[in-house]
Amino acid sequence: MKNLTKAELILRQIGDNTKLGDLRKIANDIKKDHELALDLWSSKQFLARQLAILIMDKKLLTPEFIDQLDKDIMQHKENERMQLIDWLMANQFSKDKNTIALMNSWENSPSSLQRRAFWYYQGRLRWVGQKPAKSEELLTKIESRIEKEAVEVQWAMNFTAGWIGVYEKELRDRCIALGEKTGLYKEKSVSKGCTPEYLPEFIRIESIKRNL
């Protein structure tokens, strides 16, 4: 029997029933291992790539390397693409000042995944209660661009507008009007206990939750 590599042994632990919590437990045991992350990433498997993201070394995420990750992610089906780029943003890009600066330069990137990361990051800042400057400027851009954007970017723009509307009362009516105009996610059903993504409903529910 040949000696299995570390990546091969880990791949044997991952199956269709593996949950994100399971991946986090494996990652916690591994800690940071960029070389192993590359090996897992090269498998092209969705769950293996999610695990790889958790153990990458953020100091080694150069623009060139990120562009390659972007191209690789585009080979996945749509729902996997969205999960991988959002996982990268939350677990890597938002954790280091250099990648935050890079992400902030992606507003007009030719890559729709990078534009999604830009807008999703802006939304997450507000989601956790921060109130960054330039919300009105960002909202104006969302109003002019969202209906022409790629579907994956529309979602992130809508997410950002939602949290602007929740936390910034002076802009709330504009955010609600935006949702009424675009109609985005108006008919989308959500699981029990989840907030609808349609802006008028999202802002109403989340504002009430926070007494805002």
Side-chain angles (χ1 to χ4, degrees), residues 125-155:
L125 288 176
R126 290 156 175 83
W127 178 19
V128 297
Q130 295 187 39
K131 191 177 177 182
K134 300 186 177 179
S135 284
E136 185 169 9
E137 178 183 330
L138 287 177
L139 181 56
T140 297
K141 291 176 179 178
I142 294 171
E143 289 168 331
S144 66
R145 300 178 190 175
I146 190 169
E147 292 180 285
K148 297 172 287 203
E149 258 293 4
V151 171
E152 58 265 30
V153 186
Q154 282 185 334
W155 178 88

Side-chain angles (χ1 to χ4, degrees), residues 168-185:
E168 302 186 51
K169 287 185 179 180
E170 67 277 14
L171 299 174
R172 184 172 294 170
D173 287 345
R174 281 177 60 184
C175 294
I176 291 171
L178 174 65
E180 293 171 340
K181 177 176 181 288
T182 66
L184 284 172
Y185 314 114

Side-chain angles (χ1 to χ4, degrees), residues 92-209:
Q92 290 291 348
F93 299 159
S94 64
K95 303 297 186 182
D96 182 81
K97 63 180 182 181
N98 291 323
T99 44
I100 288 173
L102 183 61
M103 191 162 45
N104 281 330
S105 73
W106 288 344
E107 180 186 344
N108 298 304
S109 170
S111 163
S112 63
L113 294 181
Q114 291 179 6
R115 296 198 305 278
R116 178 184 173 97
F118 169 85
W119 287 106
Y120 189 27
Y121 178 63
Q122 294 299 322
R124 279 178 65 95
L125 288 176
R126 290 156 175 83
W127 178 19
V128 297
Q130 295 187 39
K131 191 177 177 182
K134 300 186 177 179
S135 284
E136 185 169 9
E137 178 183 330
L138 287 177
L139 181 56
T140 297
K141 291 176 179 178
I142 294 171
E143 289 168 331
S144 66
R145 300 178 190 175
I146 190 169
E147 292 180 285
K148 297 172 287 203
E149 258 293 4
V151 171
E152 58 265 30
V153 186
Q154 282 185 334
W155 178 88
M157 285 181 157
N158 192 81
F159 180 78
T160 298
W163 287 113
I164 289 174
V166 170
Y167 281 105
E168 302 186 51
K169 287 185 179 180
E170 67 277 14
L171 299 174
R172 184 172 294 170
D173 287 345
R174 281 177 60 184
C175 294
I176 291 171
L178 174 65
E180 293 171 340
K181 177 176 181 288
T182 66
L184 284 172
Y185 314 114
K186 186 174 183 178
E187 306 300 328
K188 183 178 178 180
S189 59
V190 296
S191 301
K192 185 177 181 180
C194 294
T195 307
E197 295 178 351
Y198 178 53
L199 285 177
E201 283 298 292
F202 178 88
I203 293 168
R204 179 184 66 80
I205 293 169
E206 294 297 334
S207 298
I208 290 172
K209 283 182 184 178

